[in-house]
Amino acid sequence: MSARQSRSASIPIPPSSVTRSLESVIPMSFSPSPAPRMARVPSGGTSVSFNLGRSVPPPMRSASTSYASATMTAVAVPRGRTSGPAQANSPPAFEPRIIGGATSPTPSRDPACNPPYSPSTSPARPRRLSSGIRTQSAVSTSPVAHRVPPPSNVGHPLIHSFPRPAYLDNSSLRDMLHTEPAPSVIANSSRPSSYAASSHDVRAGTSPPPATSYSYFRREVTPAGDSDDESIVATASPPPAVGAVTVLSTNTILMLPTRWSEQDRTPALSVSLDGRDLIFTGPSCMGDRESGAARANHAIPPACGIYYYEVEILHKCPKGPISIGFSAPDVRLSRLPGWEKNSWGYHADDGWAFPGHKDGSPYGPTFDTGDVIGCGIDFSVNRVFYTKNGGFLGTVFENVGKTTEIYPCIGMRQTNESIRANFGDSPFRFAIEEHVRAQRDAVWGNIMSTRVDWSLLGLGPRKTEEERKAEDVKAAAEKEKGVVEDEEESRAPLRKLVLAYLAHHGYARTARAFQRQCAERTAAMANKAPVQPKTELHDDEDVKMAVDDAPAVASNPVPSAAYDLDPDFRFDSELNTRLSITNAIVRGEIDTALSLISEHHVTVLEREQGLVLFRLRCRKFVELVLAAGEALRRVKEAERTVAGTPEPAPPASPAVDGEDVMGTMDGLGAMDVDDPSPEAHPESSMSVSGPIAAPTPSVLSAPTAMSSVPSPVATPVQDMHAALAAAARTSLHTALSYGQTLEADYKSDTRPGVRAHLRRTFGVVAYDDPIAAGGEVAEIAGQAARNALAAEVNQAILESQGRPAHPALETLFRQAGACVTQLGLLGVGSAAFADVRREFIEG
Amino acid sequence: MPSQQKAKIYQQEWERRLHDVQVSKDDLNRLVMDFLVIEGYKSTAEEFSKEAGMDAPVDFDSIENRMNIREALQRGDVGDAITRVNDLNPEILDTNPSLYFRLQQQKLIEFIRQGQIAEALQFAQEELAPRGEESPEFLAELERTMALLAFESSPMMPSSVSELLSTAQRMKTAAEVNAAILESFSQGKEAKLVGLLRLLCWGEALLEERADLPKVCSVQSWNWLELTDE
């Protein structure tokens, strides 16, 4: 550890004799800080002087690894088309004047209808036009205030930004859907209106506290993982070495259309400053070949499930066939959407719908100035629907967006025609949320009628393709007859799943009860031959009694072919040992845990080059420090009592007392007790199994043992005080010398995870009450860390026995969640309506 | 399905996705509790709520009521089951004629099973025949059941008829009644755990169609029978 020297040098050490004497006793970089601090600062002060040079103390670290990272530490990855749409959002902000066709960035496209109009009129045009229209269309509910982008918006005032529309909250992939590019996405989280932020908050609230959050990868909770999560945080800037894979998955951001594209339009169309209005500024087109169309700035992610936007017709010429719909990015813009392959449109003049060629069909009513036309795509069926002034017009087209990306697209043909789009920044006329919910329920209902194929899930014999087909046929036939799935067959694997889960987490009593109940049911089933006389009732009772009386459930009296509860769980031995170990860790009795592990699961300690042992020893150190802090607090308390009664307490008294403790420390030396192990002698190098074999004193018992030592001093109060002080000295010393051993033992371990964990562990020393200190320190010292370590050890033991590190139930859950996400990204719209958490956890 | 190019998913990416799924031990505990309650493992549920420190999601006694009905059906005492269902909530059968028919049918099956042919005939004529007129579906089921009498344990009996006498038939009826009761208490009618498996089957099948998964992506890859069999 090369950084050590400089770090210790950087620690501001209070100039006092105490410190010096301590330093001479324990020449370790980490050790000087705690002692004077504990002695000098009576109440939990701040940590200013004892920041051990931890470079990054992120307060929310562990929380972010498990779920927040996907959205919060996000990197902008515009999906699909490369540069065009992604940039479209920013340039207009800085060149707001470029809105007319003449100054268009795509001057090369110069069709016949490109107008010779005066650029000077163009910037002011949108507003004048729309306000003129407003008087004509009393129907319009679109408030005038929206015509001008609100100046209060974050960033550049001309960026028309808004939170993700509420109806998209129904998508299971909502956290990936964004209305703003990455930098503002992060800024977003501070805005109360941000859906992304609020939905995340809600979850954080319902989730367990950070430290108990459930990391899937073992390395995530192990020291190696610590360095790992630092690298995750770092992902926010440059992509890590893993490359595209990581970037693609965790940080996926799918941009939603938010405005009409500045680039992706014919020059005949002008876009308003806020990106919502399109005005046909060119001369009216003649003939079918000449039209003007524009697309929105981003493709619609199928992960939306349903995407919807509305268009208000601000001004339509009598003959104008305004077309509203969708189109693929490569479709010519000189044609109305619906007339070209891979575009779909609903036309104002005749109410026809065109599915990508000139042969349309009658679809809905015609529409005109003042009407609000809604246009939605349902990716779960790849069909489109329209609304007119809030009324649903029905679904139309097929296979929309199945093979290409699609964009909102509008086409017009007459001079001065104009429309205003609502991409979700203001309320919709149509009750889109209701519609989406109804669709979601339908899709979900469908998914929930999927037959559970146990062989697909790796349960039971793997079936051949033919067998599976045959079963499907049979199942379909049964469904027609209204027959329910065979209960017992489907329940057996489920029971196994649940039982394995209970055993994994050490819910021993529950597991036993469950096993007993399962055995009862199995017995009941086995005893019921198809046709049986009525006496079976009594038989049943007998069997039940027998099962109940059986001492161990493992001796299942009725082995059933259908379902045989596995006797190999050995609840009483295996599970109980594992429970005792984890419980000991949870209580902070690391030595107990260590000796149990070395007795029953010695290989666990050697796993991952002794990582588990390392973690346990670090925890032991933390426990020792905590005990020392506790002992010191007792001393102070006693002092306060003493000072409170006979003479007023001099303010310096704690410090004096501290000095007292430290001063005498040398004398007591490597004292007493009970630490015959190499622990007390940092120099002697220690074998890996050292601390396990050594019957180190119980941390907690040390102070009490000391306090019972009789003291020569006179009054009982002083007597007690002295005893307490001695106890404090002892435990402090034990802690520090253990720390030295730890440091010495792992000096040569260069694994970054180990180094980082060691550093954090030693950081605990800097606080007299680490748990009260909050933040990262409390996280390391607190109960949650014990629990996490217990879980980790539990996992390691299970792994050492060849059992999975995670209960199958958890893997199944994750598998389901990952499946849904993956499908959503592959363009399967139904996946947006399969929300694993909402359906199975929160609902 | 247009023959799209199959997407390639890398193992690392997939692992990341698995990792990104938010789920805690508490979440899974709730899932397990839901299973225990819905499936009627009362004593296990009680034990679990103590051991895992969870609040009881429902009155555990309600589980027992449900299970008594289920047991009555499983041992063939349909009359007892009907009485119990009505004690619990008379609306369940009143508002669900097909469920009521299913129970009556089961009762008829039990008469036949016990060789009480006279009773069976009388019951069929008085109770079931009028219902058979109500709907063709009921009538077909009634005919299927009456066929039991015609074959009367002959080896010629077609399986579609003989299966009515099976334990599975009892279980099916019991499951339907269970679901109806749960629904009447506005609880989910099946355990969320089952739903989870359904979702997974749906997703895995679709994913297999669309993407080349590394072995690890597929659930099949973890032989989770290892969990218990050693």
Side-chain angles (χ1 to χ4, degrees):
Chain A
M1 199 148 159
S2 57
R4 185 153 285 282
Q5 285 308 332
S6 61
R7 192 181 307 134
S8 77
S10 75
I11 300 173
I13 296 164
S16 91
S17 59
V18 179
T19 324
R20 250 181 285 117
S21 70
L22 228 194
E23 279 239 83
S24 61
V25 179
I26 303 136
M28 282 197 52
S29 55
F30 69 89
S31 53
S33 32
R37 179 187 172 73
M38 282 189 258
R40 298 195 148 267
V41 188
S43 61
T46 56
S47 60
V48 200
S49 48
F50 298 106
N51 190 337
L52 286 183
R54 275 163 291 135
S55 46
V56 193
M60 286 277 295
R61 209 175 31 79
S62 65
S64 66
T65 58
S66 66
Y67 47 80
S69 59
T71 50
M72 290 300 143
T73 64
V75 155
V77 183
R79 185 168 156 278
R81 301 207 307 167
T82 48
S83 54
Q87 290 165 350
N89 231 17
S90 38
F94 303 104
E95 298 165 84
R97 301 250 151 215
I98 306 178
I99 57 166
T103 47
S104 157
T106 53
S108 57
R109 263 196 214 172
D110 199 5
C113 57
N114 201 7
Y117 70 95
S118 152
S120 64
T121 61
S122 127
R125 201 156 189 154
R127 287 184 58 192
R128 207 191 299 154
L129 223 171
S130 55
S131 55
I133 293 304
R134 190 165 45 89
T135 51
Q136 283 178 21
S137 57
V139 219
S140 163
T141 56
S142 180
V144 193
H146 277 277
R147 302 284 149 101
V148 186
S152 60
N153 271 334
V154 276
H156 198 283
L158 289 176
I159 293 180
H160 188 79
S161 67
F162 54 93
R164 184 179 63 227
Y167 74 91
L168 288 174
D169 227 22
N170 287 299
S171 165
S172 62
L173 300 161
R174 57 192 166 277
D175 290 341
M176 289 182 181
L177 304 172
H178 293 275
T179 50
E180 291 167 27
S184 30
V185 165
I186 291 159
N188 233 1
S189 56
S190 60
R191 279 201 295 154
S193 62
S194 160
Y195 289 87
S198 63
S199 73
H200 170 255
D201 288 346
V202 166
R203 285 197 187 168
T206 56
S207 312
T212 53
S213 75
Y214 222 43
S215 297
Y216 186 64
F217 295 141
R218 260 180 62 73
R219 59 182 145 86
E220 218 69 35
V221 284
T222 56
D226 291 334
S227 65
D228 233 34
D229 28 71
E230 273 155 20
S231 77
I232 291 172
V233 175
T235 316
S237 34
V242 230
V245 178
T246 314
V247 173
L248 180 74
S249 69
T250 303
N251 302 315
T252 308
I253 286 184
L254 305 173
M255 293 301 297
L256 296 163
T258 53
R259 53 170 292 138
W260 296 113
S261 167
E262 273 296 330
Q263 287 82 26
D264 208 9
R265 61 181 170 85
T266 50
L269 287 169
S270 296
V271 181
S272 68
L273 291 185
D274 64 2
R276 289 179 57 174
D277 294 8
L278 281 178
I279 307 100
F280 199 98
T281 45
S284 299
C285 300
M286 313 300 284
D288 286 352
R289 296 245 154 246
E290 299 156 12
S291 308
R295 275 186 283 267
N297 59 343
H298 292 293
I300 305 165
C304 290
I306 287 178
Y307 180 83
Y308 180 75
Y309 73 104
E310 281 183 353
V311 171
E312 181 185 356
I313 312 299
L314 296 179
H315 177 68
K316 176 184 166 299
C317 296
K319 282 184 184 172
I322 294 179
S323 173
I324 297 173
F326 302 99
S327 84
D330 51 353
V331 174
R332 280 187 293 166
L333 289 167
S334 54
R335 301 263 291 161
L336 292 181
W339 284 352
E340 289 276 291
K341 191 170 180 290
N342 283 332
S343 72
W344 299 265
Y346 167 34
H347 288 207
D349 55 333
D350 53 10
W352 279 37
F354 292 85
H357 47 78
K358 286 230 66 172
D359 304 322
S361 49
Y363 167 67
T366 59
F367 51 92
D368 211 328
T369 303
D371 284 329
V372 173
I373 301 300
C375 177
I377 160 82
D378 183 344
F379 286 102
S380 68
V381 288
N382 292 98
R383 302 197 70 189
V384 171
F385 60 91
Y386 289 94
T387 66
K388 183 180 175 186
N389 298 324
F392 190 71
L393 297 181
T395 51
V396 64
F397 307 137
E398 271 165 24
N399 298 323
V400 182
K402 226 172 182 173
T403 49
T404 62
E405 290 189 303
I406 58 168
Y407 290 71
C409 184
I410 297 280
M412 291 181 272
R413 306 187 63 194
Q414 309 289 323
T415 309
N416 280 347
E417 281 188 328
S418 66
I419 59 96
R420 177 164 181 75
N422 176 5
F423 294 110
D425 45 353
S426 36
F428 288 119
R429 289 288 285 275
F430 175 59
I432 182 66
E433 279 188 74
E434 255 168 58
H435 179 79
V436 172
R437 268 198 295 273
Q439 281 305 108
R440 184 189 70 186
D441 290 349
V443 169
W444 182 249
N446 232 344
I447 295 174
M448 282 301 99
S449 64
T450 311
R451 200 168 56 86
V452 176
D453 180 348
W454 294 103
S455 72
L456 187 71
L457 295 176
L459 290 166
R462 186 92 174 90
K463 284 171 186 146
T464 63
E465 198 64 23
E466 292 81 56
E467 279 173 324
R468 203 181 301 167
K469 267 188 195 140
E471 277 198 4
D472 279 341
V473 171
K474 189 176 156 226
E478 279 183 354
K479 212 171 196 175
E480 260 170 40
K481 280 192 285 171
V483 176
V484 195
E485 289 170 57
D486 188 345
E487 262 245 311
E488 263 321 279
E489 190 197 334
S490 66
R491 287 312 175 263
L494 271 174
R495 290 176 186 170
K496 266 190 174 179
L497 202 57
V498 168
L499 189 56
Y501 178 81
L502 295 172
H504 184 104
H505 285 306
Y507 296 120
R509 287 196 307 278
T510 311
R512 261 182 232 119
F514 187 59
Q515 233 182 356
R516 187 161 50 240
Q517 285 199 298
C518 287
E520 281 167 20
R521 289 199 186 177
T522 315
M525 286 302 294
N527 262 23
K528 285 189 209 295
V531 186
Q532 247 188 351
K534 235 197 159 181
T535 50
E536 62 186 276
L537 174 61
H538 304 289
D539 289 351
D540 258 3
E541 291 303 320
D542 287 347
V543 171
K544 270 185 201 162
M545 297 307 288
V547 174
D548 278 338
D549 289 346
V553 201
S555 59
N556 183 352
V558 189
S560 140
Y563 177 59
D564 189 7
L565 258 173
D566 176 32
D568 276 349
F569 265 117
R570 298 184 309 264
F571 278 124
D572 292 323
S573 58
E574 192 279 322
L575 183 59
N576 282 350
T577 314
R578 193 149 50 81
L579 262 182
S580 320
I581 293 169
T582 52
N583 284 343
I585 297 173
V586 165
R587 287 193 306 268
E589 294 162 18
I590 307 299
D591 283 328
T592 313
L594 275 171
S595 65
L596 274 170
I597 295 174
S598 59
E599 187 184 329
H600 297 281
H601 304 286
V602 77
T603 54
V604 167
L605 296 171
E606 290 146 21
R607 290 180 74 80
E608 298 179 52
Q609 290 124 35
L611 209 55
V612 173
L613 175 61
F614 167 71
R615 295 273 286 160
L616 282 164
R617 293 190 62 194
C618 284
R619 183 66 217 181
K620 185 185 169 184
F621 174 68
V622 173
E623 298 294 349
L624 289 170
V625 171
L626 291 179
E630 180 60 35
L632 260 180
R633 263 192 300 285
R634 262 186 241 163
V635 172
K636 280 180 214 155
E637 229 166 72
E639 233 150 59
R640 238 170 273 133
T641 329
V642 174
T645 38
E647 65 225 48
S653 125
V656 171
D657 183 70
E659 211 158 330
D660 220 44
V661 173
M662 297 312 152
T664 45
M665 192 150 196
D666 244 341
L668 288 170
M671 57 187 162
D672 32 279
V673 252
D674 10 67
D675 213 348
S677 76
E679 316 277 12
H681 309 284
E683 300 79 27
S684 66
S685 75
M686 192 171 161
S687 74
V688 173
S689 59
I692 314 140
T696 11
S698 162
V699 173
L700 297 175
S701 70
T704 33
M706 289 306 296
S707 60
S708 66
V709 172
S711 161
V713 197
T715 70
V717 177
Q718 279 172 319
D719 194 24
M720 197 186 78
H721 179 232
L724 283 176
R729 277 193 295 272
T730 312
S731 56
L732 183 64
H733 186 83
T734 312
L736 294 182
S737 57
Y738 190 82
Q740 285 172 304
T741 320
L742 203 56
E743 165 68 18
D745 286 348
Y746 291 95
K747 201 163 16 190
S748 52
D749 196 333
T750 53
R751 282 179 284 177
V754 168
R755 300 263 46 102
H757 190 71
L758 210 51
R759 199 178 64 227
R760 270 190 224 137
T761 303
F762 288 147
V764 171
V765 187
Y767 302 85
D768 56 352
D769 190 351
I771 292 169
E776 194 195 9
V777 182
E779 219 172 87
I780 289 251
Q783 185 60 44
R786 282 179 180 170
N787 297 349
L789 182 60
E792 202 182 310
V793 170
N794 185 39
Q795 204 170 303
I797 294 175
L798 287 167
E799 270 178 40
S800 77
Q801 296 171 326
R803 292 169 191 265
H806 302 277
L809 182 59
E810 183 189 345
T811 311
L812 281 174
F813 191 94
R814 290 187 185 277
Q815 192 85 20
C819 249
V820 167
T821 309
Q822 195 70 57
L823 286 173
L825 293 177
L826 287 172
V828 178
S830 315
F833 298 136
D835 194 321
V836 189
R837 272 198 75 82
R838 199 175 275 177
E839 300 291 348
F840 299 128
I841 302 294
E842 285 145 22
Chain B
M1 180 68 38
S3 58
Q4 279 172 338
Q5 218 178 355
K6 276 195 171 189
K8 176 112 183 119
I9 299 169
Y10 295 93
Q11 179 167 338
Q12 200 174 7
E13 180 187 2
W14 185 255
E15 279 180 8
R16 173 67 65 188
R17 281 216 197 300
L18 288 178
H19 174 70
D20 283 348
V21 174
Q22 308 160 26
V23 63
S24 69
K25 189 170 160 186
D26 285 355
D27 294 337
L28 293 171
N29 281 353
R30 278 202 294 278
L31 213 54
V32 166
M33 180 60 97
D34 173 78
F35 172 82
L36 296 175
V37 167
I38 301 272
E39 301 278 315
Y41 296 93
K42 185 193 171 208
S43 61
T44 311
E46 281 171 333
E47 204 61 71
F48 193 45
S49 101
K50 275 184 254 162
E51 211 169 8
M54 301 168 76
D55 292 336
V58 291
D59 180 7
F60 285 130
D61 288 338
S62 73
I63 303 178
E64 187 142 50
N65 288 332
R66 217 156 23 86
M67 286 310 109
N68 285 337
I69 292 166
R70 185 187 172 124
E71 274 165 25
L73 285 172
Q74 281 170 8
R75 64 171 186 263
D77 195 342
V78 182
D80 182 39
I82 293 177
T83 313
R84 282 173 184 274
V85 172
N86 281 331
D87 285 350
L88 202 61
N89 182 358
E91 275 190 16
I92 295 172
L93 292 180
D94 285 352
T95 56
N96 197 340
S98 73
L99 182 70
Y100 187 60
F101 177 82
R102 183 73 72 192
L103 280 168
Q104 299 284 61
Q105 182 192 15
Q106 190 67 42
K107 196 168 178 178
L108 177 60
I109 294 170
E110 300 300 341
F111 274 131
I112 297 171
R113 190 200 302 279
Q114 286 155 23
Q116 300 173 311
I117 306 302
E119 286 89 342
L121 282 175
Q122 195 191 349
F123 181 74
Q125 285 160 8
E126 285 176 7
E127 298 285 336
L128 282 171
R131 301 201 148 260
E133 286 159 19
E134 284 171 23
S135 100
E137 195 190 316
F138 291 171
L139 190 60
E141 274 301 302
L142 179 59
E143 285 166 1
R144 188 160 77 104
T145 317
M146 294 310 281
L148 283 173
L149 286 173
F151 289 101
E152 211 174 344
S153 71
S154 123
M156 300 289 288
M157 188 160 25
S159 66
S160 69
V161 174
S162 65
E163 71 185 14
L164 288 174
L165 286 173
S166 69
T167 316
Q169 177 68 26
R170 279 179 174 175
M171 298 296 287
K172 281 172 195 162
T173 309
E176 280 178 36
V177 173
N178 193 36
I181 298 172
L182 284 169
E183 230 167 19
S184 77
F185 289 132
S186 57
Q187 284 175 350
K189 62 177 176 177
E190 80 175 1
K192 287 175 180 169
L193 198 49
V194 180
L196 179 68
L197 295 174
R198 292 188 194 282
L199 174 66
L200 191 53
C201 285
W202 172 82
E204 286 265 322
L206 271 183
L207 205 53
E208 250 174 44
E209 257 172 40
R210 281 159 202 263
D212 284 325
L213 302 163
K215 269 227 158 149
V216 71
C217 299
S218 163
V219 211
Q220 298 154 18
S221 63
W222 40 274
N223 177 11
W224 73 286
L225 288 178
E226 262 176 31
L227 291 175
T228 51
D229 305 336
E230 263 144 40

